[in-house]
Amino acid sequence: MSTIIVFCHLRWDFVFQRPQHLLTRLANHYKIILVEEPVFQEGAPCLKISYPAPNITVYQPQTPCHATGFHDDQIPLLQPLLADIVPENEDPIVWFYTPMALPLLSQLHPGLVVYDCMDELSAFKNPPRQLLQRETALLNIADLVFTGGPSLFEAKRTRHPSTHCFPSSVDAAHFAKALNRADDHPAQHDLPHPRLGFYGVIDERFDPALLQALADAHPEWQLVMVGPIVKIDPAQLPQRANIHYLGQQSYADLPRFLAGWDVCLMPFALNEATRFISPTKVLEYMAAELPIVSTAITDVVKPYGDIVAIGHTPEEFIRACEIALAQTPQQREHMAEQMRRIVASTSWEATGARMKLLMDGTQPGRRSARLTTPEGMANEATVALRQSSTKVHTAIVGAGPTGLSAAYHLGTDTLLLDKNATVGGWCRSITDKGFTFDHAGHIMFSNDPYVLKLYDVLLGDNQHWQLREAWVYSKDVYTRYPFQGALYGLPPDVIRECIMGAIEARYGSDKPACANEGVDDCCADGTADAANASAAAVEDKPRNFEEFIYKVWGKGIARHFAIPYNRKLWTVPLTEMETSWLGGRVPLPDLGEIVDGALQPVAKPMGPNARFGYPIKGGFQALMNGFLPHIRGKVELKADVVQILPQEHVIALADGRRFRYEQLVSTMPLPELVRLCGNEAPEEVQAAARGLKHISIRCVNIGVNRTGITDKHWIYYPEDTIFHRIFVQGNASKECNAPGGFGFTCEISYSPWKPLPVDGDDLIARCVADCVKVGFIKPDDEVVTASIVDMPYAYVVYDHQRADNVATVRAWAEQHDIILAGRYSEWEYYNSDHAFLAGKKAAEKVKAGTIETGPAVKADG
C-alpha cells in the first residue's frame, strides 16, 4: 500500500470537513500521513502522533518557535523531524492543502505532487505574506490540481494544465439520520420553535450584522449557532435572547441538531474571504431535507439557486426565512424530492474514487522529478519567482480616469493594471440590446483650459456640446435645477416658506458678511451653482452639513429640497458630515435670483455646467478609450491585484504574476489598498482605513420601446421614489438609444446605514413602478431591456473623522513610495475633470523623484 503525505493548515480534530472526508476514503487505498501546522511548546522539537482513523496517522509538530503555520522560521525545525516519515524505497504522493509547506517537499522524494485547493487562502484574514509566491511555485511543480468548487476552478484552471473541479460532496447516510425529527440534541432540547440553525466555523466569513437583523426582526425565532469562533472577537457577535451559541460539536452529533431545526441558514458575509467558497454544508442540509436560506455565495447561487433561497439583502434573507417557515406540506415535499435527486448524484466516496483514478493515470514524476534534490526545489521556486516578478519603474493600479491620465503623462516604463475587461473605472459604459449606458451619469465640463483641450485630444470630432436641462421633481411639478433658483410652479405656501427662509438666513444674524472662495459641490452633483451665486457669506463656520444647509438657503429650501435630497443621497445623518469640502466660508444666496425664479419660469440653465459636452458615439467609454492610443507604457486588463507588499515594492495578481515597482500610483479605494497590504500596514493605518465611510450606488438601466420620452438630461427626486436621480442617457447623445427606443438610468444610493429595500428583479420592478408613479414613463410603455450595475464605492463621506484618517494613511503610504491619486485614493469628491488633473499631478510627482523617461503626450497635440 503506497503512502500519501498530506500537509494541512487545518487540525484533524477541528471541524470535520473536506480533508477528513477525502482522506478517510482514500485511506482504503493508501497509507495516509497528515502533517499539521506546528504548535508552540518549550523544549526540543518533537512530534505528537495520533491515529484518528484506520490507515491514518496524524503528526503534530511541537516546536519552541512562536511563528504560526509553516513559517520560514519553522522550516529548519521541521525538516529533521520529518526526515524519516517517508517509507524506505518509496516515492510517496505528496498532497498539499496549503502552499506554505512547500519548502518541506524537497526531502520527501515525491513521485507525485497534488494540490487540493479547497479555499482561496490568500483572501482569508491575515494570510502569510509569502502565500501567493509559494502558490505560484507549487502550481509550477504540481502534477495535479484539484479545486473545491467552480469558482476556484475558474480562478486556477488557466494556471495549470491539469486542473480538475471537485466540489463539495456529502455523506448522505450520515445526515439522513436527521430525518428522525424526534432525535433532538439535548443542547437545544428546551428551545421553542421555530428554530433556525447554522453549523460551521464562525470567522471572518460569517455576517454578524445579518444574524442581528434576523434576531431583531423576529424575536420569537430561536437562532442556533453551532461551531467554533475563530479569528474574530466573540464580543463582536450579536448578543440577543434568541441567539444561542453552542460552540463546536462533534461531527457525529450534527444530524441531531438538524433534526430539531425548521430552517437551515448560511449567513455568510459577501467579502473576499467568501468569494470562492463552496460550502460543504449545503448538501448536508439537503440530505436532512430542510429548507435552506443563504446569502448570495456564487457556488451556491449557480448550482442550487432554484432550491436554496437566496437573500441578497438582510430584508430578502429575512423574507426568505419567513417563506420557508410558511411552506405547505406539498411545497416541502416538492423541495425534498429535488434535494434527494441532487444528494443522490454525489458522495465523498465517488469524489475520492475519481481523484484516485486521476492519480493512477498520471505518470509519476512527470513534473515532480525535478524536485528530487533540494537544489531542484530551490531552482524551481527561483524560476517561478523570476517569471512572476517583472520589474517596472511605475505601476498604476486602476485604469479609471485618474489612472489613465497618470499613464498618459508618463513614459514607456509604466504598467497600468485594471481588473476589468475595459478601461474607465466607474466611467465605463456598457451596451445592451442596442442601448449604451454609463456607470451612473457622466458629463464633460471644466473650468480648466488644460482639461478642455484634453477633450479635443481624446475625442476629436466625436463630441458635441449642449445646454443642460437639469430639473427637480417635487410636489408633483418640475422645477429647474437648482431648486433654490427656480421655485416657479411650486405651491404658493412652499414658495413663501422658501423665500422667507432665505431672507432669514441672510438677515437673521448680526454677523458681518465677507468674501467667499466658492463651493465646489454641496450635493455631490453640481448644486454649487446657487451657492456660488453670491459673493456674500456669513462669517461663523457651520459645525456640520445640516447646519450649513440652513445657513445657506434657510429653513424653507432646506425642508423642501436640500435636507430630504441630501439625506436620500448620503444615507447618513447630515450632522455627521463636516463642511471642508464645501470650499471656505458659507455663501449666502442671491435673493434677487430666488425671487425672480419664483415669480416667472427660469428661461435657461444656470451655473458652471450649464453647457456640457458628451461623446457622440460610444458613451462616456469613448472618452476613456481616447487615452489608449497615447499611452506609451503597458496596459494590462483583467489583472486583479490581490496583494501588495509595500516593503518589498511588489504587487501580486490573482493569476500568480508579480511585479516589482519603484513607484506605485494607487487609484483604488483607500480601504482596499490597506486591506491588500495586510499586516505590512500598521494597526493605526488599518484602523484609519476602517474608519473611512462611503456610500454605494446601484444603477438600474432601463431601455423603453418609445422615443422622445423627455427633453431633460437629469432629474433629482427628493421625495418618496426609490431613486434619487435619473440620468437620461438617451438625451446625452441620441446614439446611446437603440432604434425606436429611449434609455435612462435610475440611481439608488445605499450603505450599511441605509441598505437597499429590494434588489435584483425586484429592484428593477420598483424603479419601473416609481418611474410610472412620477409620470416619467407611461404605464403601457414596453421595457425592452433592464439591467443593474453596482458601484460598491461611489461617493466618499466627509464625516468629522475623515481628514485625520486620510492623513494617517497618506503619511504611511508616502513612506513606501505609494502615491495616492484620484477620488478614492485621496478620498475626495472629484468629478472626472478633477480626476484627469489628479492623474497629471501624480505623474508629475513620479517624475520629480526620477529621471525623465521621455516627453509625455501634450494636450495640445
Side-chain angles (χ1 to χ4, degrees):
M1 182 177 282
S2 57
T3 302
I4 299 179
I5 297 174
V6 181
F7 291 99
C8 191
H9 59 293
L10 300 171
R11 305 284 174 202
W12 185 272
D13 60 359
F14 191 53
V15 174
F16 203 89
Q17 50 191 307
R18 182 184 179 94
Q20 293 93 327
H21 280 297
L22 286 173
L23 296 176
T24 52
R25 272 74 177 183
L26 290 171
N28 294 321
H29 310 283
Y30 305 93
K31 183 170 73 172
I32 307 294
I33 297 175
L34 183 134
V35 181
E36 294 183 348
E37 292 181 338
V39 298
F40 175 79
Q41 179 177 283
E42 296 284 1
C46 63
L47 289 175
K48 179 181 178 182
I49 303 174
S50 61
Y51 306 94
N55 269 342
I56 295 179
T57 303
V58 174
Y59 287 173
Q60 184 185 87
Q62 300 187 345
T63 73
C65 177
H66 285 281
T68 58
F70 293 103
H71 189 275
D72 286 349
D73 293 346
Q74 294 279 11
I75 299 302
L77 302 176
L78 298 177
Q79 285 172 331
L81 286 180
L82 303 177
D84 298 325
I85 67 171
V86 180
E88 191 174 353
N89 300 320
E90 184 177 344
D91 295 332
I93 297 171
V94 180
W95 183 298
F96 289 91
Y97 278 106
T98 170
M100 289 302 295
L102 185 59
L104 297 170
L105 179 63
S106 59
Q107 69 186 59
L108 301 180
H109 306 288
L112 202 70
V113 176
V114 176
Y115 177 26
D116 187 13
C117 182
M118 64 176 285
D119 284 307
E120 185 59 78
L121 296 179
S122 64
F124 283 20
K125 188 175 182 179
N126 301 326
R129 189 178 63 181
Q130 307 97 323
L131 182 61
L132 289 172
Q133 167 191 329
R134 289 194 183 161
E135 185 183 60
T136 296
L138 178 56
L139 289 167
N140 277 275
I141 290 164
D143 298 286
L144 290 168
V145 176
F146 304 146
T147 67
S151 295
L152 270 176
F153 174 71
E154 291 301 321
K156 307 298 179 186
R157 61 195 288 262
T158 59
R159 300 179 62 192
H160 194 281
S162 187
T163 301
H164 307 271
C165 184
F166 286 102
S168 297
S169 302
V170 63
D171 184 346
H174 180 66
F175 287 95
K177 297 174 185 176
L179 297 176
N180 178 10
R181 305 300 192 209
D183 188 22
D184 196 7
H185 195 281
Q188 63 183 14
H189 184 73
D190 294 332
L191 298 179
H193 288 266
R195 298 181 195 155
L196 294 81
F198 164 86
Y199 64 72
V201 181
I202 300 174
D203 57 13
E204 72 269 31
R205 295 168 293 178
F206 191 81
D207 190 343
L210 176 58
L211 180 63
Q212 179 174 313
L214 201 63
D216 292 342
H218 286 278
E220 75 278 12
W221 292 355
Q222 304 306 309
L223 307 180
V224 182
M225 302 291 110
V226 175
I229 301 170
V230 300
K231 294 197 290 184
I232 60 173
D233 183 358
Q236 294 179 350
L237 294 173
Q239 304 296 321
R240 298 290 189 275
N242 60 334
I243 302 178
H244 312 278
Y245 300 102
L246 302 186
Q248 183 171 345
Q249 303 289 333
S250 72
Y251 178 71
D253 279 347
L254 293 183
R256 301 184 69 191
F257 283 97
L258 288 170
W261 293 352
D262 301 290
V263 177
C264 294
L265 304 176
M266 292 199 292
F268 291 109
L270 299 183
N271 55 32
E272 283 299 308
T274 61
R275 181 179 173 189
F276 296 105
I277 64 170
S278 181
T280 304
K281 61 184 60 61
V282 65
L283 290 170
E284 297 169 351
Y285 288 169
M286 286 189 188
E289 298 180 10
L290 289 168
I292 306 168
V293 180
S294 175
T295 51
I297 299 300
T298 301
D299 283 5
V300 175
V301 174
K302 287 186 178 178
Y304 308 124
D306 57 336
I307 299 174
V308 176
I310 305 298
H312 294 85
T313 64
E315 292 79 11
E316 282 190 18
F317 196 95
I318 293 166
R319 180 57 181 155
C321 292
E322 293 169 344
I323 293 171
L325 289 170
Q327 279 185 336
T328 65
Q330 294 80 7
Q331 290 172 328
R332 187 172 285 261
E333 178 56 31
H334 176 68
M335 174 199 72
E337 289 178 2
Q338 292 179 290
M339 290 179 170
R340 285 192 286 267
R341 284 196 296 271
I342 291 174
V343 169
S345 67
T346 184
S347 69
W348 288 114
E349 286 79 7
T351 298
R354 288 169 54 210
M355 289 178 168
K356 183 178 184 299
L357 282 174
L358 283 169
M359 290 188 288
D360 291 344
T362 301
Q363 182 180 355
R366 180 178 61 83
R367 294 167 64 86
S368 56
R370 295 169 292 185
L371 300 174
T372 54
T373 66
E375 292 77 13
M377 167 68 197
N379 290 340
E380 186 69 27
T382 300
V383 169
L385 286 174
R386 187 177 297 120
Q387 289 173 343
S388 59
S389 294
T390 305
K391 289 185 178 180
V392 62
H393 182 275
T394 305
I396 305 169
V397 179
T402 302
L404 287 166
S405 176
Y408 172 97
H409 290 96
L410 286 170
T412 56
D413 196 7
T414 303
L415 175 66
L416 177 60
L417 301 167
D418 197 280
K419 65 183 179 181
N420 297 295
T422 56
V423 299
W426 290 146
C427 289
R428 302 195 311 278
S429 306
I430 62 172
T431 57
D432 182 11
K433 296 184 180 179
F435 293 90
T436 298
F437 298 104
D438 298 334
H439 283 61
H442 297 290
I443 58 173
M444 295 155 48
F445 74 96
S446 182
N447 294 322
D448 192 293
Y450 183 88
V451 174
L452 294 174
K453 187 62 177 178
L454 189 61
Y455 292 148
D456 294 334
V457 173
L458 302 179
L459 286 174
D461 294 335
N462 186 30
Q463 58 179 308
H464 71 123
W465 292 74
Q466 56 189 313
L467 292 178
R468 181 200 70 215
E469 291 293 335
W471 294 74
V472 178
Y473 184 86
S474 66
K475 311 295 187 292
D476 297 322
V477 298
Y478 285 103
T479 58
R480 269 199 186 276
Y481 162 90
F483 178 90
Q484 53 271 22
L487 302 174
Y488 183 81
L490 290 168
D493 58 334
V494 172
I495 295 176
R496 181 185 183 280
E497 188 178 350
C498 290
I499 292 176
M500 292 303 297
I503 293 171
E504 290 172 4
R506 174 174 285 254
Y507 298 111
S509 171
D510 295 330
K511 296 180 180 179
C514 62
N516 173 64
E517 297 177 359
V519 175
D520 286 340
D521 197 338
C522 69
C523 287
D525 43 25
T527 48
D529 296 351
N532 291 327
S534 172
V538 294
E539 180 122 338
D540 55 327
K541 183 179 180 180
R543 293 167 296 180
N544 55 64
F545 186 25
E546 183 167 306
E547 187 173 294
F548 164 88
I549 289 171
Y550 282 104
K551 283 180 177 291
V552 172
W553 296 298
K555 61 185 180 182
I557 293 170
R559 174 189 171 194
H560 293 291
F561 175 72
I563 295 293
Y565 178 78
N566 279 288
R567 282 178 179 167
K568 193 174 184 182
L569 171 66
W570 290 106
T571 78
V572 299
L574 303 185
T575 54
E576 294 182 6
M577 296 177 65
E578 49 94 355
T579 61
S580 64
W581 59 299
L582 299 172
R585 294 172 180 163
V586 181
L588 290 170
D590 186 314
L591 292 178
E593 288 186 359
I594 291 178
V595 173
D596 286 345
L599 294 175
Q600 59 187 334
V602 176
K604 61 181 181 179
M606 301 178 289
N609 65 355
R611 182 174 179 270
F612 73 93
Y614 193 84
I616 298 172
K617 295 183 178 181
F620 217 70
Q621 182 77 56
L623 181 62
M624 300 297 103
N625 290 348
F627 280 103
L628 294 176
H630 303 288
I631 293 176
R632 292 171 295 151
K634 189 174 183 181
V635 179
E636 288 267 3
L637 300 177
K638 296 184 179 179
D640 192 1
V641 176
V642 295
Q643 189 177 27
I644 297 175
L645 306 176
Q647 294 181 13
E648 299 179 20
H649 284 42
V650 167
I651 295 173
L653 304 187
D655 61 12
R657 290 180 295 159
R658 290 159 60 92
F659 295 94
R660 190 177 300 275
Y661 59 83
E662 293 183 29
Q663 292 272 0
L664 173 63
V665 177
S666 172
T667 72
M668 70 176 70
L670 278 187
E672 295 300 304
L673 169 67
V674 174
R675 181 185 63 81
L676 293 180
C677 293
N679 287 336
E680 288 204 12
E683 175 54 35
E684 62 269 21
V685 173
Q686 297 184 43
R690 289 193 298 268
L692 294 171
K693 294 181 180 179
H694 68 279
I695 65 169
S696 308
I697 295 289
R698 282 275 214 288
C699 295
V700 176
N701 302 317
I702 299 173
V704 176
N705 193 21
R706 177 165 67 91
T707 61
I709 285 180
T710 181
D711 60 354
K712 299 171 176 59
H713 292 115
W714 61 89
I715 306 165
Y716 300 96
Y717 293 89
E719 294 169 358
D720 62 349
T721 55
I722 193 170
F723 42 80
H724 62 271
R725 185 172 75 160
I726 290 179
F727 179 69
V728 187
Q729 186 84 47
N731 282 340
S733 172
K734 303 298 182 185
E735 296 289 337
C736 292
N737 293 322
F742 196 87
F744 57 93
T745 297
C746 301
E747 299 174 23
I748 306 102
S749 64
Y750 69 97
S751 71
W753 312 281
K754 191 195 84 172
L756 290 171
V758 291
D759 204 356
D761 291 342
D762 291 337
L763 181 60
I764 292 173
R766 176 75 175 273
C767 285
V768 171
D770 280 0
C771 285
V772 171
K773 180 176 69 175
V774 298
F776 185 79
I777 60 175
K778 299 177 180 178
D780 57 352
D781 277 333
E782 178 189 0
V783 175
V784 296
T785 188
S787 61
I788 294 177
V789 168
D790 187 39
M791 301 169 64
Y793 286 89
Y795 295 126
V796 305
V797 174
Y798 285 74
D799 63 2
H800 298 287
Q801 295 76 42
R802 173 199 156 276
D804 289 342
N805 287 333
V806 172
T808 298
V809 179
R810 181 185 296 278
W812 170 79
E814 289 175 350
Q815 295 173 7
H816 296 282
D817 299 315
I818 300 175
I819 297 171
L820 306 179
R823 174 187 285 207
Y824 301 115
S825 265
E826 296 182 62
W827 214 250
E828 296 277 4
Y829 176 67
Y830 280 167
N831 290 320
S832 58
D833 61 329
H834 299 139
F836 294 156
L837 295 173
K840 180 175 180 285
K841 182 179 179 181
E844 290 167 351
K845 286 185 178 180
V846 170
K847 292 177 181 180
T850 61
I851 299 173
E852 287 285 349
T853 54
V857 178
K858 300 299 182 183
D860 57 6

